[in-house]
Amino acid sequence: MNRRFIPVSAPMLVGNEKKYVTDCLDSSWISSCGGYVERFEQAFAEFCGARHAVSCCNGTTALHLALLALGVGAGDEVIVPTLTFVATANAVTYCGARPVFVDADPVTWNLDPTLVEARITPRTKGIVVVHLYGLPAEMDTIKEIARRHDLFVVEDAAEAHGAEYKGRRTGTLADVACFSFYGNKIITTGEGGMVTTNDPALARRVAQLRGQGMDSERRYWFPVVGYNYRMMNLPAAVGLAQLERADWHTGRRREVAGWYEERLAAVAGLTWQHETQHVRHARWLFTVTLAEELSAARDEVMSLMGERGVETRPVFYPMHVLPPYRESASHEAFPVADRVAQSGVSLPTWAGLERDDVDHVCAIFVRCLEEVAERYVESMEA
Ligand SMILES: *Cc1c(COP(=O)(O)O)cnc(C)c1O
């Protein structure tokens, strides 16, 4: 590997991607008709163990379609974790509903189930859980709360292809699940998304809304207002090739994360998400939080690493600090999400990394931590 620069993520197009895309071009089936869309949907349903998979043009539209199909509309509230990518909250907003934020669990960084019930009101329609960085949320507890209050549960599994909870894969753990195939995700199509469910009526509604709302039996008859959120045949061809090697993609990431855990175990103050007995982590991005006394210097550590050829990325800003959402959340405190967001760094995690790349990243990371720590002590003594 070129040592001058290690990106935080990179797609690995090492299977039949080129062959299938060439097939699309040769056959001139390049838009949303053509065989690869259906083949990709079937293969993805099989990969998850779900009955239905409906493709769409990205993970954000997958969330929007799922929420619409579940009947979310104006005046409704949907509970979402504050520590997530903005698309989770935005999809709720697109429906005219209000996202209600819940803090993270200090160990898993996922939605803290013990805080959910206090946020339920008569307007609450459901809960969107996010499997953050690929670690499945605590589904049984959340589903039990949902059952008691008659709420739906959606998985935002954009970062968690192939992760498992009690032996079942993401995509089958709630009423409906949403995936992203953006270029940095575990399985990619460039841009792309998928909705999976075991409920045939829900799958039909998602498919109808994706295709302008057209009646499935009567062409150009539109009983509802839908959207054009279709996936094209070209990215579906890439996705099918990626899925043929899904075990390789997911296995390599787990190997890379294992090397990080080994190398960083002895570094004081670092924490990360651990697998529990009943959970298999998909390892989208190996993310660590720095020791508390260094968290103010997180950005400095990241820029030092960048200068030395290792790209990193910060944990997302939590939703409750972003301009569109901060007012509605101003009366609440989210101490765990704040801490993880301020001190969290994602290290390069992708299927093409070798052990010596991980060693190299860790050596640079540890050196930058030491340099910054020294400077901190000096500035405090001065
Ligand atoms: C990537 C991501 C999305 C959005 O997916 P896009 O394909 O980029 O629209 C949604 N939720 C989470 C948690 C993500 O990481």
Side-chain angles (χ1 to χ4, degrees), residues 57-63 84-88 130-133 156-159 179-182 184-185 190-193 284 313 316:
C57 50
N58 56 55
T60 309
T61 56
L63 286 162
T84 182
F85 180 57
V86 71
T88 321
V130 179
H131 306 310
L132 196 70
Y133 296 120
D156 181 343
E159 307 174 357
F179 290 87
S180 164
F181 305 113
Y182 183 63
N184 64 8
K185 300 290 162 84
E191 294 269 11
W284 177 48
R313 53 177 258 186
F316 304 118

Short mmCIF file of all heavy atoms in Angstrom, two decimals, residues 57-63 84-88 130-133 156-159 179-182 184-185 190-193 284 313 316, ligand 1:
data_model
loop_
_atom_site.label_atom_id
_atom_site.label_comp_id
_atom_site.label_asym_id
_atom_site.label_seq_id
_atom_site.Cartn_x
_atom_site.Cartn_y
_atom_site.Cartn_z
N CYS A 57 -32.74 5.03 -4.38
CA CYS A 57 -31.53 5.68 -4.90
C CYS A 57 -30.50 6.04 -3.83
O CYS A 57 -29.35 6.32 -4.17
CB CYS A 57 -31.87 6.87 -5.78
SG CYS A 57 -33.02 8.02 -5.04
N ASN A 58 -30.85 6.03 -2.55
CA ASN A 58 -29.84 6.18 -1.50
C ASN A 58 -30.46 5.84 -0.14
O ASN A 58 -31.66 5.56 -0.05
CB ASN A 58 -29.23 7.61 -1.49
CG ASN A 58 -30.28 8.68 -1.36
OD1 ASN A 58 -31.08 8.66 -0.43
ND2 ASN A 58 -30.29 9.61 -2.29
N GLY A 59 -29.65 5.87 0.89
CA GLY A 59 -30.12 5.48 2.22
C GLY A 59 -31.12 6.47 2.80
O GLY A 59 -32.01 6.10 3.57
N THR A 60 -30.96 7.73 2.45
CA THR A 60 -31.87 8.76 2.95
C THR A 60 -33.29 8.55 2.40
O THR A 60 -34.28 8.62 3.13
CB THR A 60 -31.35 10.16 2.57
OG1 THR A 60 -29.98 10.24 2.96
CG2 THR A 60 -32.15 11.25 3.24
N THR A 61 -33.38 8.24 1.10
CA THR A 61 -34.70 7.98 0.52
C THR A 61 -35.26 6.67 1.06
O THR A 61 -36.49 6.54 1.20
CB THR A 61 -34.65 7.94 -1.02
OG1 THR A 61 -33.69 6.97 -1.43
CG2 THR A 61 -34.27 9.29 -1.60
N ALA A 62 -34.42 5.72 1.39
CA ALA A 62 -34.90 4.48 2.02
C ALA A 62 -35.62 4.81 3.33
O ALA A 62 -36.72 4.31 3.60
CB ALA A 62 -33.74 3.52 2.28
N LEU A 63 -35.01 5.68 4.14
CA LEU A 63 -35.63 6.08 5.41
C LEU A 63 -36.93 6.85 5.16
O LEU A 63 -37.94 6.62 5.84
CB LEU A 63 -34.66 6.97 6.21
CG LEU A 63 -33.48 6.24 6.86
CD1 LEU A 63 -32.38 7.24 7.23
CD2 LEU A 63 -33.95 5.48 8.11
N THR A 84 -26.24 10.35 15.56
CA THR A 84 -26.44 9.65 14.29
C THR A 84 -26.04 10.60 13.17
O THR A 84 -25.71 11.77 13.41
CB THR A 84 -27.90 9.21 14.11
OG1 THR A 84 -28.04 8.50 12.87
CG2 THR A 84 -28.86 10.40 14.09
N PHE A 85 -26.06 10.09 11.94
CA PHE A 85 -25.90 10.93 10.77
C PHE A 85 -27.21 11.67 10.53
O PHE A 85 -28.30 11.15 10.80
CB PHE A 85 -25.53 10.05 9.57
CG PHE A 85 -25.34 10.82 8.30
CD1 PHE A 85 -24.40 11.84 8.22
CD2 PHE A 85 -26.09 10.51 7.18
CE1 PHE A 85 -24.23 12.54 7.03
CE2 PHE A 85 -25.91 11.20 5.99
CZ PHE A 85 -24.99 12.22 5.92
N VAL A 86 -27.13 12.87 10.00
CA VAL A 86 -28.28 13.77 9.92
C VAL A 86 -29.46 13.19 9.13
O VAL A 86 -30.62 13.57 9.35
CB VAL A 86 -27.84 15.14 9.33
CG1 VAL A 86 -27.51 15.02 7.84
CG2 VAL A 86 -28.87 16.21 9.59
N ALA A 87 -29.19 12.23 8.24
CA ALA A 87 -30.26 11.69 7.40
C ALA A 87 -31.38 11.05 8.23
O ALA A 87 -32.55 11.09 7.83
CB ALA A 87 -29.69 10.65 6.43
N THR A 88 -31.03 10.45 9.36
CA THR A 88 -32.04 9.80 10.21
C THR A 88 -33.08 10.82 10.65
O THR A 88 -34.29 10.57 10.57
CB THR A 88 -31.37 9.18 11.47
OG1 THR A 88 -30.13 8.59 11.12
CG2 THR A 88 -32.27 8.14 12.10
N VAL A 130 -30.60 3.32 15.30
CA VAL A 130 -29.45 3.35 14.40
C VAL A 130 -28.41 2.38 14.94
O VAL A 130 -28.10 2.41 16.14
CB VAL A 130 -28.85 4.77 14.34
CG1 VAL A 130 -27.63 4.81 13.42
CG2 VAL A 130 -29.90 5.77 13.88
N HIS A 131 -27.92 1.51 14.10
CA HIS A 131 -26.85 0.60 14.51
C HIS A 131 -25.53 1.34 14.26
O HIS A 131 -24.90 1.18 13.20
CB HIS A 131 -26.90 -0.70 13.71
CG HIS A 131 -28.24 -1.38 13.75
ND1 HIS A 131 -28.94 -1.63 14.91
CD2 HIS A 131 -29.03 -1.87 12.75
CE1 HIS A 131 -30.07 -2.26 14.63
NE2 HIS A 131 -30.15 -2.41 13.32
N LEU A 132 -25.13 2.17 15.23
CA LEU A 132 -24.05 3.13 15.00
C LEU A 132 -22.71 2.45 14.74
O LEU A 132 -22.27 1.60 15.52
CB LEU A 132 -23.94 4.08 16.19
CG LEU A 132 -23.14 5.36 15.92
CD1 LEU A 132 -23.90 6.30 14.98
CD2 LEU A 132 -22.80 6.07 17.21
N TYR A 133 -22.08 2.85 13.65
CA TYR A 133 -20.78 2.30 13.21
C TYR A 133 -20.83 0.79 12.98
O TYR A 133 -19.79 0.14 12.87
CB TYR A 133 -19.66 2.66 14.20
CG TYR A 133 -19.41 4.15 14.26
CD1 TYR A 133 -19.56 4.87 15.44
CD2 TYR A 133 -19.07 4.83 13.10
CE1 TYR A 133 -19.36 6.24 15.47
CE2 TYR A 133 -18.87 6.21 13.12
CZ TYR A 133 -19.01 6.91 14.31
OH TYR A 133 -18.82 8.26 14.33
N ASP A 156 -32.31 1.90 11.20
CA ASP A 156 -31.42 2.59 10.28
C ASP A 156 -30.13 1.76 10.29
O ASP A 156 -29.27 1.92 11.15
CB ASP A 156 -31.17 4.03 10.72
CG ASP A 156 -30.24 4.78 9.76
OD1 ASP A 156 -29.57 4.11 8.96
OD2 ASP A 156 -30.19 6.02 9.83
N ALA A 157 -30.06 0.86 9.30
CA ALA A 157 -28.93 -0.08 9.22
C ALA A 157 -27.93 0.35 8.16
O ALA A 157 -27.19 -0.47 7.62
CB ALA A 157 -29.45 -1.48 8.93
N ALA A 158 -27.91 1.66 7.89
CA ALA A 158 -27.04 2.20 6.83
C ALA A 158 -25.57 1.82 7.02
O ALA A 158 -24.82 1.72 6.06
CB ALA A 158 -27.18 3.72 6.77
N GLU A 159 -25.18 1.61 8.31
CA GLU A 159 -23.78 1.34 8.62
C GLU A 159 -23.56 -0.12 9.06
O GLU A 159 -22.51 -0.44 9.59
CB GLU A 159 -23.33 2.29 9.74
CG GLU A 159 -23.62 3.75 9.42
CD GLU A 159 -23.32 4.71 10.57
OE1 GLU A 159 -22.94 4.24 11.66
OE2 GLU A 159 -23.47 5.93 10.37
N PHE A 179 -31.12 0.61 4.45
CA PHE A 179 -29.68 0.48 4.22
C PHE A 179 -29.21 1.55 3.24
O PHE A 179 -29.98 2.01 2.40
CB PHE A 179 -29.37 -0.90 3.61
CG PHE A 179 -29.55 -2.04 4.57
CD1 PHE A 179 -30.80 -2.63 4.73
CD2 PHE A 179 -28.48 -2.52 5.32
CE1 PHE A 179 -30.97 -3.68 5.62
CE2 PHE A 179 -28.65 -3.57 6.21
CZ PHE A 179 -29.90 -4.15 6.36
N SER A 180 -27.94 1.90 3.35
CA SER A 180 -27.29 2.80 2.40
C SER A 180 -26.17 2.04 1.70
O SER A 180 -25.51 1.19 2.31
CB SER A 180 -26.70 4.00 3.13
OG SER A 180 -25.76 4.69 2.29
N PHE A 181 -25.98 2.35 0.43
CA PHE A 181 -24.85 1.79 -0.32
C PHE A 181 -23.95 2.90 -0.83
O PHE A 181 -23.37 2.81 -1.92
CB PHE A 181 -25.35 0.91 -1.48
CG PHE A 181 -26.30 -0.17 -1.05
CD1 PHE A 181 -27.63 -0.12 -1.44
CD2 PHE A 181 -25.87 -1.21 -0.25
CE1 PHE A 181 -28.52 -1.11 -1.04
CE2 PHE A 181 -26.76 -2.21 0.15
CZ PHE A 181 -28.09 -2.16 -0.24
N TYR A 182 -23.84 3.98 -0.06
CA TYR A 182 -22.94 5.08 -0.40
C TYR A 182 -21.50 4.53 -0.50
O TYR A 182 -21.19 3.48 0.07
CB TYR A 182 -23.05 6.17 0.67
CG TYR A 182 -22.19 7.37 0.37
CD1 TYR A 182 -22.44 8.14 -0.77
CD2 TYR A 182 -21.14 7.73 1.20
CE1 TYR A 182 -21.65 9.23 -1.06
CE2 TYR A 182 -20.33 8.82 0.91
CZ TYR A 182 -20.59 9.57 -0.22
OH TYR A 182 -19.80 10.64 -0.51
N ASN A 184 -18.75 4.90 0.90
CA ASN A 184 -17.93 4.50 2.06
C ASN A 184 -18.60 3.44 2.92
O ASN A 184 -18.07 3.09 3.97
CB ASN A 184 -17.56 5.73 2.90
CG ASN A 184 -18.77 6.40 3.53
OD1 ASN A 184 -19.88 5.88 3.48
ND2 ASN A 184 -18.56 7.56 4.12
N LYS A 185 -19.73 2.91 2.49
CA LYS A 185 -20.43 1.92 3.33
C LYS A 185 -19.88 0.51 3.08
O LYS A 185 -19.08 0.29 2.18
CB LYS A 185 -21.94 2.01 3.08
CG LYS A 185 -22.53 3.40 3.42
CD LYS A 185 -22.57 3.70 4.90
CE LYS A 185 -22.74 5.18 5.22
NZ LYS A 185 -24.07 5.69 5.21
N GLY A 190 -22.00 3.04 -5.01
CA GLY A 190 -21.75 4.46 -5.31
C GLY A 190 -22.73 5.30 -4.51
O GLY A 190 -22.40 5.87 -3.48
N GLU A 191 -23.95 5.41 -5.02
CA GLU A 191 -25.10 5.90 -4.27
C GLU A 191 -26.16 4.83 -4.40
O GLU A 191 -26.36 4.28 -5.48
CB GLU A 191 -25.66 7.21 -4.85
CG GLU A 191 -24.74 8.41 -4.76
CD GLU A 191 -24.93 9.24 -3.48
OE1 GLU A 191 -25.64 8.77 -2.57
OE2 GLU A 191 -24.35 10.33 -3.42
N GLY A 192 -26.86 4.53 -3.32
CA GLY A 192 -27.91 3.52 -3.42
C GLY A 192 -28.50 3.27 -2.05
O GLY A 192 -27.92 3.64 -1.03
N GLY A 193 -29.69 2.65 -2.04
CA GLY A 193 -30.34 2.35 -0.78
C GLY A 193 -31.25 1.14 -0.92
O GLY A 193 -31.53 0.68 -2.03
N TRP A 284 -18.22 -0.96 10.68
CA TRP A 284 -18.17 -0.01 9.56
C TRP A 284 -16.95 0.89 9.68
O TRP A 284 -16.14 0.96 8.78
CB TRP A 284 -19.46 0.83 9.50
CG TRP A 284 -19.40 1.86 8.43
CD1 TRP A 284 -19.02 1.68 7.13
CD2 TRP A 284 -19.69 3.25 8.56
NE1 TRP A 284 -19.06 2.87 6.44
CE2 TRP A 284 -19.48 3.85 7.30
CE3 TRP A 284 -20.13 4.05 9.63
CZ2 TRP A 284 -19.68 5.21 7.07
CZ3 TRP A 284 -20.34 5.40 9.39
CH2 TRP A 284 -20.11 5.96 8.12
N ARG A 313 -11.70 10.63 10.73
CA ARG A 313 -12.87 11.53 10.73
C ARG A 313 -13.45 11.63 12.11
O ARG A 313 -13.36 10.69 12.91
CB ARG A 313 -13.90 11.15 9.68
CG ARG A 313 -14.38 9.72 9.71
CD ARG A 313 -15.44 9.53 8.66
NE ARG A 313 -16.75 9.52 9.27
CZ ARG A 313 -17.87 9.27 8.63
NH1 ARG A 313 -17.85 9.05 7.33
NH2 ARG A 313 -19.01 9.26 9.25
N PHE A 316 -19.93 12.13 14.33
CA PHE A 316 -20.94 13.11 13.90
C PHE A 316 -21.24 14.13 15.01
O PHE A 316 -21.25 13.76 16.20
CB PHE A 316 -22.27 12.40 13.62
CG PHE A 316 -22.19 11.30 12.60
CD1 PHE A 316 -22.49 9.99 12.95
CD2 PHE A 316 -21.83 11.56 11.30
CE1 PHE A 316 -22.43 8.96 12.02
CE2 PHE A 316 -21.76 10.54 10.36
CZ PHE A 316 -22.06 9.25 10.72
C1 LIG B 1 -24.93 6.93 5.42
C2 LIG B 1 -26.06 7.02 6.38
C3 LIG B 1 -27.37 7.36 5.97
C4 LIG B 1 -27.71 7.92 4.61
O1 LIG B 1 -27.36 7.21 3.53
P1 LIG B 1 -27.15 7.89 2.11
O2 LIG B 1 -27.07 6.72 1.20
O3 LIG B 1 -25.90 8.69 2.18
O4 LIG B 1 -28.35 8.73 1.83
C5 LIG B 1 -28.38 7.31 6.91
N1 LIG B 1 -28.14 6.96 8.19
C6 LIG B 1 -26.91 6.67 8.62
C7 LIG B 1 -26.73 6.28 10.05
C8 LIG B 1 -25.82 6.70 7.74
O5 LIG B 1 -24.59 6.45 8.19
#
